[in-house]
PDB file of all heavy atoms in Angstrom:
ATOM      1  N   ALA A  35      57.195 -45.690 -36.360  1.00  0.00           N
ATOM      2  CA  ALA A  35      58.452 -44.994 -36.656  1.00  0.00           C
ATOM      3  C   ALA A  35      59.618 -45.544 -35.844  1.00  0.00           C
ATOM      4  O   ALA A  35      60.393 -44.789 -35.256  1.00  0.00           O
ATOM      5  CB  ALA A  35      58.301 -43.487 -36.426  1.00  0.00           C
ATOM      6  N   SER A  36      59.743 -46.877 -35.845  1.00  0.00           N
ATOM      7  CA  SER A  36      60.868 -47.501 -35.137  1.00  0.00           C
ATOM      8  C   SER A  36      62.188 -47.102 -35.782  1.00  0.00           C
ATOM      9  O   SER A  36      62.276 -46.932 -37.001  1.00  0.00           O
ATOM     10  CB  SER A  36      60.735 -49.030 -35.169  1.00  0.00           C
ATOM     11  OG  SER A  36      59.583 -49.457 -34.496  1.00  0.00           O
ATOM     12  N   ASP A  37      63.227 -46.990 -34.957  1.00  0.00           N
ATOM     13  CA  ASP A  37      64.557 -46.697 -35.476  1.00  0.00           C
ATOM     14  C   ASP A  37      65.429 -47.956 -35.490  1.00  0.00           C
ATOM     15  O   ASP A  37      66.652 -47.873 -35.497  1.00  0.00           O
ATOM     16  CB  ASP A  37      65.224 -45.577 -34.672  1.00  0.00           C
ATOM     17  CG  ASP A  37      65.252 -45.855 -33.176  1.00  0.00           C
ATOM     18  OD1 ASP A  37      64.846 -46.972 -32.768  1.00  0.00           O
ATOM     19  OD2 ASP A  37      65.655 -44.962 -32.413  1.00  0.00           O
ATOM     20  N   ASP A  38      64.756 -49.126 -35.501  1.00  0.00           N
ATOM     21  CA  ASP A  38      65.491 -50.371 -35.653  1.00  0.00           C
ATOM     22  C   ASP A  38      65.001 -51.060 -36.935  1.00  0.00           C
ATOM     23  O   ASP A  38      64.505 -50.403 -37.837  1.00  0.00           O
ATOM     24  CB  ASP A  38      65.318 -51.271 -34.411  1.00  0.00           C
ATOM     25  CG  ASP A  38      63.879 -51.747 -34.237  1.00  0.00           C
ATOM     26  OD1 ASP A  38      62.999 -51.349 -35.036  1.00  0.00           O
ATOM     27  OD2 ASP A  38      63.632 -52.538 -33.303  1.00  0.00           O
ATOM     28  N   GLU A  39      65.128 -52.358 -37.030  1.00  0.00           N
ATOM     29  CA  GLU A  39      64.782 -53.093 -38.253  1.00  0.00           C
ATOM     30  C   GLU A  39      63.356 -53.644 -38.250  1.00  0.00           C
ATOM     31  O   GLU A  39      63.051 -54.581 -38.990  1.00  0.00           O
ATOM     32  CB  GLU A  39      65.780 -54.241 -38.447  1.00  0.00           C
ATOM     33  CG  GLU A  39      67.215 -53.797 -38.631  1.00  0.00           C
ATOM     34  CD  GLU A  39      67.365 -52.900 -39.857  1.00  0.00           C
ATOM     35  OE1 GLU A  39      66.873 -53.275 -40.942  1.00  0.00           O
ATOM     36  OE2 GLU A  39      67.981 -51.825 -39.725  1.00  0.00           O
ATOM     37  N   SER A  40      62.473 -53.074 -37.432  1.00  0.00           N
ATOM     38  CA  SER A  40      61.110 -53.615 -37.308  1.00  0.00           C
ATOM     39  C   SER A  40      60.398 -53.700 -38.648  1.00  0.00           C
ATOM     40  O   SER A  40      59.792 -54.735 -38.985  1.00  0.00           O
ATOM     41  CB  SER A  40      60.291 -52.754 -36.337  1.00  0.00           C
ATOM     42  OG  SER A  40      60.781 -52.844 -35.025  1.00  0.00           O
ATOM     43  N   VAL A  41      60.436 -52.627 -39.429  1.00  0.00           N
ATOM     44  CA  VAL A  41      59.735 -52.609 -40.713  1.00  0.00           C
ATOM     45  C   VAL A  41      60.345 -53.629 -41.667  1.00  0.00           C
ATOM     46  O   VAL A  41      59.635 -54.378 -42.354  1.00  0.00           O
ATOM     47  CB  VAL A  41      59.743 -51.203 -41.321  1.00  0.00           C
ATOM     48  CG1 VAL A  41      59.234 -51.218 -42.762  1.00  0.00           C
ATOM     49  CG2 VAL A  41      58.906 -50.255 -40.472  1.00  0.00           C
ATOM     50  N   THR A  42      61.668 -53.685 -41.721  1.00  0.00           N
ATOM     51  CA  THR A  42      62.348 -54.635 -42.596  1.00  0.00           C
ATOM     52  C   THR A  42      61.986 -56.069 -42.244  1.00  0.00           C
ATOM     53  O   THR A  42      61.702 -56.893 -43.130  1.00  0.00           O
ATOM     54  CB  THR A  42      63.874 -54.443 -42.510  1.00  0.00           C
ATOM     55  OG1 THR A  42      64.201 -53.108 -42.884  1.00  0.00           O
ATOM     56  CG2 THR A  42      64.594 -55.420 -43.410  1.00  0.00           C
ATOM     57  N   VAL A  43      61.983 -56.383 -40.960  1.00  0.00           N
ATOM     58  CA  VAL A  43      61.639 -57.732 -40.519  1.00  0.00           C
ATOM     59  C   VAL A  43      60.209 -58.062 -40.910  1.00  0.00           C
ATOM     60  O   VAL A  43      59.922 -59.144 -41.446  1.00  0.00           O
ATOM     61  CB  VAL A  43      61.820 -57.855 -38.994  1.00  0.00           C
ATOM     62  CG1 VAL A  43      61.207 -59.158 -38.485  1.00  0.00           C
ATOM     63  CG2 VAL A  43      63.292 -57.793 -38.617  1.00  0.00           C
ATOM     64  N   ALA A  44      59.269 -57.143 -40.647  1.00  0.00           N
ATOM     65  CA  ALA A  44      57.866 -57.405 -40.943  1.00  0.00           C
ATOM     66  C   ALA A  44      57.642 -57.607 -42.436  1.00  0.00           C
ATOM     67  O   ALA A  44      56.882 -58.494 -42.857  1.00  0.00           O
ATOM     68  CB  ALA A  44      57.002 -56.267 -40.419  1.00  0.00           C
ATOM     69  N   ARG A  45      58.313 -56.807 -43.252  1.00  0.00           N
ATOM     70  CA  ARG A  45      58.136 -56.908 -44.704  1.00  0.00           C
ATOM     71  C   ARG A  45      58.762 -58.173 -45.275  1.00  0.00           C
ATOM     72  O   ARG A  45      58.409 -58.587 -46.383  1.00  0.00           O
ATOM     73  CB  ARG A  45      58.727 -55.677 -45.385  1.00  0.00           C
ATOM     74  CG  ARG A  45      57.852 -54.428 -45.224  1.00  0.00           C
ATOM     75  CD  ARG A  45      58.484 -53.211 -45.840  1.00  0.00           C
ATOM     76  NE  ARG A  45      57.550 -52.074 -45.839  1.00  0.00           N
ATOM     77  CZ  ARG A  45      57.900 -50.804 -45.992  1.00  0.00           C
ATOM     78  NH1 ARG A  45      59.184 -50.480 -46.160  1.00  0.00           N
ATOM     79  NH2 ARG A  45      56.983 -49.852 -45.976  1.00  0.00           N
ATOM     80  N   SER A  46      59.641 -58.793 -44.527  1.00  0.00           N
ATOM     81  CA  SER A  46      60.300 -60.001 -45.029  1.00  0.00           C
ATOM     82  C   SER A  46      59.438 -61.249 -44.859  1.00  0.00           C
ATOM     83  O   SER A  46      59.766 -62.304 -45.407  1.00  0.00           O
ATOM     84  CB  SER A  46      61.629 -60.213 -44.298  1.00  0.00           C
ATOM     85  OG  SER A  46      61.418 -60.596 -42.943  1.00  0.00           O
ATOM     86  N   VAL A  47      58.341 -61.132 -44.132  1.00  0.00           N
ATOM     87  CA  VAL A  47      57.481 -62.286 -43.873  1.00  0.00           C
ATOM     88  C   VAL A  47      56.339 -62.295 -44.885  1.00  0.00           C
ATOM     89  O   VAL A  47      55.560 -61.330 -44.941  1.00  0.00           O
ATOM     90  CB  VAL A  47      56.937 -62.261 -42.440  1.00  0.00           C
ATOM     91  CG1 VAL A  47      56.042 -63.471 -42.181  1.00  0.00           C
ATOM     92  CG2 VAL A  47      58.080 -62.222 -41.431  1.00  0.00           C
ATOM     93  N   PRO A  48      56.199 -63.330 -45.678  1.00  0.00           N
ATOM     94  CA  PRO A  48      55.135 -63.370 -46.685  1.00  0.00           C
ATOM     95  C   PRO A  48      53.747 -63.239 -46.068  1.00  0.00           C
ATOM     96  O   PRO A  48      53.467 -63.798 -44.997  1.00  0.00           O
ATOM     97  CB  PRO A  48      55.319 -64.749 -47.322  1.00  0.00           C
ATOM     98  CG  PRO A  48      56.740 -65.116 -47.050  1.00  0.00           C
ATOM     99  CD  PRO A  48      57.063 -64.526 -45.716  1.00  0.00           C
ATOM    100  N   GLY A  49      52.903 -62.468 -46.735  1.00  0.00           N
ATOM    101  CA  GLY A  49      51.517 -62.344 -46.305  1.00  0.00           C
ATOM    102  C   GLY A  49      51.255 -61.304 -45.251  1.00  0.00           C
ATOM    103  O   GLY A  49      50.101 -61.094 -44.864  1.00  0.00           O
ATOM    104  N   VAL A  50      52.302 -60.624 -44.778  1.00  0.00           N
ATOM    105  CA  VAL A  50      52.130 -59.606 -43.745  1.00  0.00           C
ATOM    106  C   VAL A  50      51.957 -58.234 -44.396  1.00  0.00           C
ATOM    107  O   VAL A  50      52.761 -57.840 -45.243  1.00  0.00           O
ATOM    108  CB  VAL A  50      53.331 -59.585 -42.778  1.00  0.00           C
ATOM    109  CG1 VAL A  50      53.212 -58.416 -41.793  1.00  0.00           C
ATOM    110  CG2 VAL A  50      53.425 -60.902 -42.027  1.00  0.00           C
ATOM    111  N   THR A  51      50.908 -57.531 -44.007  1.00  0.00           N
ATOM    112  CA  THR A  51      50.704 -56.146 -44.443  1.00  0.00           C
ATOM    113  C   THR A  51      51.397 -55.214 -43.462  1.00  0.00           C
ATOM    114  O   THR A  51      51.193 -55.322 -42.247  1.00  0.00           O
ATOM    115  CB  THR A  51      49.202 -55.800 -44.498  1.00  0.00           C
ATOM    116  OG1 THR A  51      48.562 -56.650 -45.453  1.00  0.00           O
ATOM    117  CG2 THR A  51      48.986 -54.352 -44.893  1.00  0.00           C
ATOM    118  N   VAL A  52      52.224 -54.310 -43.971  1.00  0.00           N
ATOM    119  CA  VAL A  52      52.990 -53.417 -43.107  1.00  0.00           C
ATOM    120  C   VAL A  52      52.561 -51.976 -43.354  1.00  0.00           C
ATOM    121  O   VAL A  52      52.514 -51.520 -44.499  1.00  0.00           O
ATOM    122  CB  VAL A  52      54.509 -53.560 -43.353  1.00  0.00           C
ATOM    123  CG1 VAL A  52      55.282 -52.617 -42.430  1.00  0.00           C
ATOM    124  CG2 VAL A  52      54.940 -55.004 -43.137  1.00  0.00           C
ATOM    125  N   VAL A  53      52.231 -51.281 -42.282  1.00  0.00           N
ATOM    126  CA  VAL A  53      51.947 -49.847 -42.334  1.00  0.00           C
ATOM    127  C   VAL A  53      53.074 -49.161 -41.568  1.00  0.00           C
ATOM    128  O   VAL A  53      53.209 -49.345 -40.352  1.00  0.00           O
ATOM    129  CB  VAL A  53      50.590 -49.504 -41.700  1.00  0.00           C
ATOM    130  CG1 VAL A  53      50.326 -47.997 -41.784  1.00  0.00           C
ATOM    131  CG2 VAL A  53      49.470 -50.285 -42.371  1.00  0.00           C
TER     132      VAL A  53
END
Side-chain angles (χ1 to χ4, degrees):
S36 297
D37 54 6
D38 65 357
E39 298 300 311
S40 293
V41 170
T42 301
V43 169
R45 285 177 172 162
S46 70
V47 180
V50 174
T51 298
V52 180
V53 180

